[in-house]
Amino acid sequence: NPRTDRDPRTDRENVLIPPMLFQPFVENAIWHGLMHKSEPGRLDIRLRLAGDILTCTITDNGVGRATAAASSSKSAQKQKSMGIDITQQRLNLINGPADNGHSVKIEDLYDDHSQPAGTRVTIRIHTRTSNHS
């Protein structure tokens, strides 16, 4: 059974999330982290709703940002940065000025030997609910 962090008071069917909000981060995990692995990779996407804050955590066990940056082309890095920058701007509009750009947190993950072990992106978004059933 999948684990869920559900608030029974929330009507999850009516939570509205802007389209393509998580896409740049998932795409980056695949193209820049997992594609450079010699063994199979893993990508986890978890959504948790607490009150009106939806937290999406995208975790990969890819090669890490430093290795990915060293092996990626300049145009790929520019496109990657633009996608994340545009998404951050969208989140700033959604979350409002009080958010101060803290909607997205990107962390490098390391194994027990201090070797790169992937990346975790945490995205926080203020949600709205639709009024129709």
Side-chain angles (χ1 to χ4, degrees):
N1 289 339
R3 195 187 106 208
T4 58
D5 299 318
R6 293 190 179 194
D7 180 344
R9 297 166 296 172
T10 304
D11 182 1
R12 296 168 115 54
E13 296 297 321
N14 290 317
V15 172
L16 304 175
I17 302 169
M20 304 297 286
L21 192 67
F22 308 132
Q23 181 269 341
F25 302 100
V26 172
E27 185 175 285
N28 284 343
I30 294 168
W31 284 105
H32 301 289
L34 298 174
M35 292 294 285
H36 296 286
K37 284 182 67 90
S38 56
E39 64 274 355
R42 180 178 172 122
L43 177 68
D44 292 316
I45 301 172
R46 295 179 185 231
L47 300 172
R48 182 172 187 269
L49 186 61
D52 69 342
I53 303 292
L54 176 70
T55 301
C56 175
T57 306
I58 303 164
T59 308
D60 69 71
N61 68 344
V63 297
R65 290 191 295 169
T67 302
S71 62
S72 294
S73 69
K74 292 286 185 197
S75 62
Q77 288 298 314
K78 183 177 179 182
Q79 182 179 5
K80 174 180 165 182
S81 297
M82 285 185 62
I84 291 174
D85 289 346
I86 291 168
T87 301
Q88 181 64 63
Q89 290 171 19
R90 289 179 70 198
L91 286 165
N92 290 343
L93 290 172
I94 293 165
N95 290 344
D99 187 65
N100 294 324
H102 294 103
S103 301
V104 178
K105 179 180 177 183
I106 303 174
E107 302 171 82
D108 296 309
L109 304 177
Y110 298 93
D111 65 16
D112 295 337
H113 306 289
S114 299
Q115 296 300 308
T119 306
R120 178 184 303 124
V121 178
T122 304
I123 304 163
R124 293 179 38 247
I125 179 172
H126 290 271
T127 61
R128 296 180 310 169
T129 56
S130 66
N131 293 328
H132 56 74
S133 298

